[in-house]
Amino acid sequence: MKRILSSRQVRNTVERLAARIRADYGDKRPVLVGVLKGAFVFLADLIREVNMPLEVDFLTVSSYGPGQASSGNVQFVHDITTDIGGRHVLLVEDIVDSGLTLDKLRRRLIRRSPASLRVCALLARRSLLAGDPDAVDYLGRSVPDGFVVGYGIDCGEDYRYLPDIWVLEDG
Ligand code: IMP
Ligand code: MG
């Protein structure tokens, strides 16, 4: 395994994102929607850095099976309970890879007529951003190809507990 971000670098990234979110949302009381399971650590740190009135909800999707290969089939497992009609919604993702999950979630939530819908992701794949630089509104860091784990992000349900962020090496 190769470490790509130390916990200190992660913290700096979260602080930078939180400052932008605070500046943009001011007193709008946004609803931050964490995409489970991967985003739970990031969201927990993010809301405390944002440190202004907001609401939190979660939805659960599953696109990966036990290993590293995406099934390409995004399964919607659990929905939010908040009525987001007229609300400012910020989707919070751990890592955006192909963008497929994000696309599906966006389309699903936009039907409920939120006042606004934006995306905050701790990480996004460089290859995706090359083709779609605006895929994520609030982006922490871009990452090269390679399976990422740690800071809530798993591989087959392992490694979520790691404070740093790592890339699994082949083999
Ligand atoms: P998508 O390809 O953008 O749809 O990514 C699907 C989901 O897979 C994301 O919500 C992530 O939680 C997860 N994912 C994508 N890339 C990685 C990775 O490198 N490690 C662990 N999870 C990942
Ligand atoms: Mg995710």
Side-chain angles (χ1 to χ4, degrees), residues 36-138:
L36 292 176
K37 301 178 199 167
F40 80 104
V41 176
F42 174 41
L43 184 61
D45 283 346
L46 186 67
I47 59 170
R48 287 174 289 181
E49 279 302 326
V50 171
N51 192 19
M52 67 173 194
L54 55 79
E55 292 176 33
V56 172
D57 207 336
F58 293 98
L59 49 79
T60 309
V61 292
S62 163
S63 61
Y64 281 74
Q68 299 179 18
S70 172
S71 65
N73 172 24
V74 183
Q75 298 268 82
F76 200 83
V77 180
H78 183 264
D79 203 354
I80 53 173
T81 56
T82 309
D83 177 4
I84 58 166
R87 303 294 303 275
H88 294 280
V89 176
L90 185 60
L91 258 176
V92 179
E93 258 281 35
D94 51 358
I95 173 166
V96 181
D97 182 37
S98 66
L100 195 71
T101 304
L102 211 53
D103 260 24
K104 286 219 172 182
L105 292 179
R106 264 213 185 92
R107 270 185 274 132
R108 194 177 173 108
L109 296 182
I110 210 79
R111 279 189 245 132
R112 302 177 194 171
S113 309
S116 69
L117 177 58
R118 290 185 190 156
V119 174
C120 173
L122 180 64
L123 308 172
R125 209 65 81 180
R126 232 163 253 165
S127 45
L128 171 79
L129 296 168
D132 184 5
D134 301 321
V136 174
D137 302 288
Y138 300 90

